[in-house]
Amino acid sequence: TAPTLLLWGDRDSETPLELGRRSARLIPQATLIVFAGAGHHVFLDEPERVAGEIRRFLAQAGVEHGE
């Protein structure tokens, strides 16, 4: 298994948050980050925070910036 990052908007009308929660339970080593007020495209709604969460996740996985 590999660490998996799930980024979800709590206002996602295409893929409901419950599916994200279920995915996080079923995927070993999954981390679910929920973005309050964001829709299906969290990277458009919250680009700075998404980038920060991805950097933090990669750092925890031991991946250095720029690799």
Side-chain angles (χ1 to χ4, degrees):
T1 62
T4 303
L5 180 62
L6 303 171
L7 303 174
W8 230 273
D10 70 349
R11 293 190 179 178
D12 187 338
S13 60
E14 295 178 49
T15 313
L17 179 54
E18 182 50 39
L19 183 57
R21 290 187 176 119
R22 187 177 327 145
S23 297
R25 285 192 305 270
L26 294 173
I27 299 171
Q29 299 185 50
T31 300
L32 173 64
I33 306 290
V34 178
F35 293 79
H40 185 69
H41 299 286
V42 294
F43 57 91
L44 295 176
D45 294 335
E46 296 277 349
E48 303 264 334
R49 185 168 169 220
V50 165
E53 295 294 349
I54 292 171
R55 279 193 295 273
R56 187 174 4 271
F57 178 79
L58 292 173
Q60 289 174 348
V63 178
E64 295 295 323
H65 180 69
E67 286 188 15

